[in-house]
Amino acid sequence: SGSLTVGQFAEKIGRPSTDIIKKLMALGVMATKNQDLDKDTIELLAGDYGVAVEEEVIVDEADFEADGLEIDEKTAVIRPPVVTIMGHVDHGKTTLLDSIRHTKVTAGEAGGITQHIGAYQVVHEGKRITFLDTPGHAAFTTMRARGAEITDITVLVVAADDGVMPQTIEAIHHARAAKVPIIVAVNKIDKPNANPDHVMQELSEQGLVPEDWGGDTIFVKISAKQGIGIDDLLEMILLVAEVEEFKANPDKLARGAVIEAQLDKGKGPIATLLVQNGTLNVGDPIVVGSTFGRVRAMVNDLGRRVKKAGPSTPVEITGLNNVPLAGDQFIVFADEKKARQIGEIRAERALITERKETTTKVSLDDLFEK
Ligand code: GDP
Ligand code: MG
């Protein structure tokens, strides 16, 4: 983007260069055909000729790709790990999430009313851990399909009275595809028919060999229901995090992903964002998927208003023009105008794609209805 010569400008508006040169002379500017016009002059001329200048915005789609999250080692600091809990239905994912949240959040934050924003943070031995609280597989797969890689560690919950099941295998595949380390939580050890050794055996066959058996997979025996082994599990998560050294640059403009979003009657679109790099501030101009806006207010997982959110922090924001999708990526721009332009272009594109999809769907439905 940027400059145009007199000749190029003339061509764009379909006038002879001499016209433009004359006009410039009238404005007291001596110009030749090959002279560069600055932005202000272009706007002035455009106004005179009654044409709208649309500044060409280079929408760098690469900005929205995962490698745009690259860490600058010079200013990088350790950030909390982001953990997803996966496993077969009824193996205890929700109970585990509740148990972790209950023991850690309510104990640490007396009187704090926790609110469900799709993710929460706990503090264990002075270190923070972020848990994604979205319904396991669906969220994970949609997010990955939309290009968001937000999980650092997967906790694979396997019920000791049931063993490895289809969704256990599926979870292993997802974690491996995303190159995310797996910690196994052998759950329901309180049950009389619990057989943790059997689970270890079955998972070894899947390539997850326990450390005790000479492998390198961490297994923790827990009872999500009775709160047994929860601290051990948190400790293991922190251990893996320490080895992996997840980092971020809090000094940068924020970027990250949408955990969930909906339309609130009073507040308008609200979205839970996970800051993956940088720091998000109230007032930041932001592009979120195919929508944009300015962060009006931020609320943390305890329902408290915050002004800033650093790396690995989940926050619920308002101030967007539209409701984004889970897994959409967000980027903060220093300049509101740029955020708006990019947001508008992306919205337009999304609309075109949506129209195409709708058209296809309609024609398919038509076929089947006959
Ligand atoms: P999810 O489908 O993986 O989210 O599983 P839930 O957390 O909903 O748990 C399914 C059932 O198992 C519920 O009835 C829980 O109370 C029960 N459950 C979960 N964890 C344990 C546990 O550690 N011990 C026992 N005995 N029951 C558990
Ligand atoms: Mg559940």
Side-chain angles (χ1 to χ4, degrees), residues 201-221:
Q201 181 61 49
E202 285 183 313
L203 284 176
S204 293
E205 285 161 21
Q206 300 296 325
L208 296 175
V209 183
E211 287 181 316
D212 290 355
W213 296 2
D216 57 8
T217 304
I218 298 173
F219 279 65
V220 186
K221 291 171 191 164

Side-chain angles (χ1 to χ4, degrees), residues 88-95 187-188 190-191 223-225:
H88 196 72
V89 65
D90 283 347
H91 279 200
K93 299 177 293 292
T94 304
T95 310
N187 191 30
K188 307 198 186 183
D190 60 289
K191 284 197 148 186
S223 165
K225 199 171 181 176

Side-chain angles (χ1 to χ4, degrees), residues 9-252:
F9 179 79
E11 209 178 298
K12 279 202 192 264
I13 65 161
R15 297 264 184 159
S17 297
T18 46
D19 260 28
I20 315 293
I21 292 168
K22 273 187 215 152
K23 177 83 72 185
L24 284 168
M25 276 172 74
L27 293 167
V29 180
M30 303 300 285
T32 62
K33 196 179 165 182
N34 294 319
Q35 193 148 330
D36 276 333
L37 292 169
D38 62 30
K39 208 176 125 205
D40 291 343
T41 314
I42 294 172
E43 270 170 14
L44 196 70
L45 284 171
D48 261 20
Y49 284 107
V51 291
V53 200
E54 237 174 67
E55 201 182 328
E56 201 180 324
V57 186
I58 309 296
V59 186
D60 191 358
E61 281 301 316
D63 273 357
F64 285 86
E65 282 165 15
D67 62 359
L69 287 166
E70 244 165 50
I71 305 303
D72 180 356
E73 280 296 332
K74 277 175 287 180
T75 58
V77 297
I78 296 289
R79 61 167 176 82
V82 178
V83 182
T84 304
I85 295 182
M86 295 178 92
H88 196 72
V89 65
D90 283 347
H91 279 200
K93 299 177 293 292
T94 304
T95 310
L96 178 58
L97 276 161
D98 288 349
S99 172
I100 293 169
R101 185 178 182 140
H102 184 77
T103 51
K104 288 294 164 179
V105 180
T106 26
E109 300 272 346
I113 302 159
T114 59
Q115 71 170 45
H116 177 87
I117 66 165
Y120 64 79
Q121 258 189 356
V122 297
V123 179
H124 182 68
E125 282 165 5
K127 290 180 181 136
R128 286 180 300 152
I129 305 171
T130 302
F131 284 92
L132 295 187
D133 192 2
T134 40
H137 298 242
F140 198 81
T141 41
T142 6
M143 285 193 201
R144 290 210 64 229
R146 302 190 63 78
E149 303 274 2
I150 57 176
T151 307
D152 297 314
I153 297 170
T154 292
V155 169
L156 179 65
V157 178
V158 187
D161 61 339
D162 202 24
V164 170
M165 298 301 271
Q167 283 170 282
T168 315
I169 309 272
E170 203 183 295
I172 296 171
H173 291 326
H174 285 316
R176 284 196 176 136
K179 299 190 177 71
V180 171
I182 297 170
I183 295 175
V184 178
V186 182
N187 191 30
K188 307 198 186 183
I189 55 156
D190 60 289
K191 284 197 148 186
N193 56 339
N195 189 348
D197 275 3
H198 182 63
V199 174
M200 286 157 84
Q201 181 61 49
E202 285 183 313
L203 284 176
S204 293
E205 285 161 21
Q206 300 296 325
L208 296 175
V209 183
E211 287 181 316
D212 290 355
W213 296 2
D216 57 8
T217 304
I218 298 173
F219 279 65
V220 186
K221 291 171 191 164
I222 65 163
S223 165
K225 199 171 181 176
Q226 299 194 353
I228 301 166
I230 305 298
D231 278 353
D232 292 343
L233 177 62
L234 297 176
E235 213 163 299
M236 288 306 134
I237 291 169
L238 288 172
L239 183 75
V240 171
E242 213 173 290
V243 173
E244 301 276 335
E245 289 197 315
F246 305 116
K247 288 181 177 173
N249 308 105
D251 55 315
K252 284 192 179 185

